[in-house]
Amino acid sequence: MSEKANECTPEQEAAEAFVARLSGDWSSEDQAGLQARVARDPGFADAFRRVERSWGSLGAHAESAELMRYREEALAYARHTTGRRWLRPGPFIRTRYRVAAAAAVAGLLLVAAWPLNPSWWRAEEYRTGLGEQRTVELADRSRIALDSSTRIRVRLSGDARIVELKEGQAQFTVAHDLTRPFKVRAGDQTIVALGTVFTVEYVDGRVSVAMVEGRVAVVGSPEQSAAPVSLGAGSGPALHDGDSAGQGGSRRAARAAAANRGPLEAAAGDGAIELSAGEELKVDERAGSAVVVPKADIEAATAWRSGKLIFRSETLDAAIREVNRYSRRQIAIADESLASRQISGVFDAGDTQGFVNALQAYLPISVEYGDSVIALRSR
């Protein structure tokens, strides 16, 4: 590569200088060198002032999907670098990350300003047994409420907070920290947040993200694609056969449909699917499908926190999967024609017999009791 190709632009040098000064590894000689450079180089001085303004305006835009994507990309790159000082030759960031706009600069600086040594990571595992719930408070004061049969792995570092949801369901109350994005990985999905409350369920290759408050960005793997579907939540006061949920729309789903792309394809190409309070994203990774619910039933999504299960126009197959998570006595559908029947109702988590009794009262089914399995058949 030629010497010219290795030259830094004033914007790159200004960004690297700003980051070096924030990182704490900054001496009086470094400060004197910076001041001298600003005094003699108008181009560098202007670039440095723009970087400072970008940092100051970060708060208003820090939770946008675009900046979340920049932080993810910058983190991936920064972990492969060696913390070069700002006066050394060579670019601070790759060409694709050069300062093109104030918000983009701020997003990149935000990540690189923190130590990225992998040895700083701390990993802890938490799990709950069948029918057990617990709440974990992290060192950053974020709280994670674990539902029955849930397993998570938490890693905290100077630049990020990462939770791997191995299986089960958890609600995350995230402490606001602009410098450390909070990421939840469930299957092939990554949920990125700063300060918010949301619930994630990961069972049998299905991921559900329900927003209680705030905003997150959900990033899928590049290999995934899905048909654009947006559904409104159904409801019903008692257990019954439900009609299919009504079709609804969200701006993100509409944009994906207009571009002939599904939500996960949009995530791969554009960086993230944004979810706001009251919305829900449901992903079936095995089927390659994704559903955005713009007006989600948050009460049902979080009912487990109070020991309840709420089903509104839910398929019997999905409802049974949820019920089985709370009891050693498992329900099985012996007649596949029952799997797609839709039901609604409110039940106590762990009360398998109560659930079966309600099914018998409202659906044409017969029940066969085994030692550990309750089989359902059409009557």
Side-chain angles (χ1 to χ4, degrees):
M1 184 178 294
S2 67
E3 181 178 349
K4 182 177 180 179
N6 284 324
E7 291 179 354
C8 290
T9 66
E11 288 82 4
Q12 288 174 300
E13 291 185 310
E16 190 165 350
F18 191 85
V19 168
R21 190 174 65 173
L22 285 177
S23 69
D25 185 17
W26 189 256
S27 66
S28 57
E29 290 79 7
D30 291 328
Q31 182 63 25
L34 174 61
Q35 292 173 342
R37 177 72 185 276
V38 168
R40 74 172 184 270
D41 188 339
F44 176 85
D46 179 67
F48 195 83
R49 282 192 294 271
R50 282 187 282 119
V51 169
E52 288 183 311
R53 286 197 299 269
S54 296
W55 177 267
S57 65
L58 177 62
H61 308 285
E63 295 184 39
S64 70
E66 188 68 10
L67 281 186
M68 287 178 177
R69 178 167 66 89
Y70 280 134
R71 281 196 291 270
E72 291 294 299
E73 294 175 340
L75 278 171
Y77 172 66
R79 291 191 183 102
H80 290 86
T81 64
T82 58
R84 292 165 294 185
R85 297 299 300 276
W86 73 281
L87 290 177
R88 294 180 184 175
F92 170 65
I93 47 180
R94 290 179 296 182
T95 301
R96 65 179 298 189
Y97 304 128
R98 287 178 180 173
V99 180
V105 175
L108 294 175
L109 290 175
L110 182 62
V111 173
W114 286 84
L116 300 175
N117 188 336
S119 66
W120 287 31
W121 289 83
R122 302 190 307 275
E124 296 182 83
E125 289 194 0
Y126 304 93
R127 65 177 65 209
T128 54
L130 194 66
E132 178 190 3
Q133 293 185 357
R134 65 178 295 193
T135 299
V136 175
E137 182 166 338
L138 305 183
D140 69 335
R141 297 190 177 181
S142 294
R143 296 190 308 277
I144 306 176
L146 280 67
D147 194 13
S148 170
S149 304
T150 296
R151 182 163 58 96
I152 64 172
R153 180 178 176 84
V154 179
R155 294 182 292 167
L156 302 178
S157 75
D159 58 56
R161 299 166 288 174
I162 298 179
V163 178
E164 296 177 71
L165 179 57
K166 301 293 189 180
E167 60 182 337
Q169 182 170 223
Q171 181 168 299
F172 301 87
T173 303
V174 180
H176 196 78
D177 187 345
L178 288 176
T179 64
R180 295 195 295 170
F182 192 102
K183 295 178 283 187
V184 179
R185 293 173 179 166
D188 290 330
Q189 311 305 308
T190 299
I191 301 96
V192 185
L194 289 174
T196 186
V197 181
F198 59 99
T199 293
V200 182
E201 182 178 21
Y202 179 45
V203 178
D204 295 333
R206 296 176 176 86
V207 180
S208 176
V209 183
M211 294 302 304
V212 178
E213 62 182 60
R215 267 199 329 243
V216 301
V218 183
V219 182
S221 67
E223 293 79 13
Q224 290 180 307
S225 62
V229 182
S230 182
L231 302 178
S235 63
L239 184 67
H240 65 278
D241 285 340
D243 296 327
S244 61
Q247 294 290 332
S250 72
R251 290 189 300 272
R252 284 169 292 283
R255 286 198 298 267
N260 197 27
R261 299 181 302 174
L264 291 185
E265 290 178 300
D270 299 332
I273 299 174
E274 289 184 74
L275 293 177
S276 298
E279 296 183 326
E280 185 174 13
L281 174 66
K282 297 181 179 182
V283 180
D284 188 334
E285 296 180 338
R286 297 177 303 180
S289 63
V291 176
V292 175
V293 185
K295 294 182 179 179
D297 190 344
I298 301 301
E299 180 188 14
T302 59
W304 60 272
R305 294 298 312 276
S306 57
K308 299 292 184 180
L309 298 177
I310 300 178
F311 304 123
R312 295 190 174 113
S313 296
E314 187 65 83
T315 65
L316 183 58
D317 180 53
I320 287 176
R321 282 200 307 270
E322 191 69 15
V323 170
N324 283 344
R325 294 185 55 240
Y326 298 87
S327 174
R328 288 185 173 81
R329 198 169 197 185
Q330 300 287 283
I331 303 173
I333 297 178
D335 187 341
E336 288 302 318
S337 64
L338 293 173
S340 60
R341 297 294 292 268
Q342 292 185 327
I343 65 169
S344 295
V346 180
F347 306 91
D348 291 326
D351 185 8
T352 302
Q353 188 59 57
F355 179 77
V356 171
N357 291 343
L359 292 180
Q360 285 183 290
Y362 288 93
L363 296 178
I365 64 171
S366 61
V367 179
E368 297 177 5
Y369 291 92
D371 292 337
S372 59
V373 176
I374 301 175
L376 306 182
R377 299 182 184 276
S378 294
R379 190 171 57 204

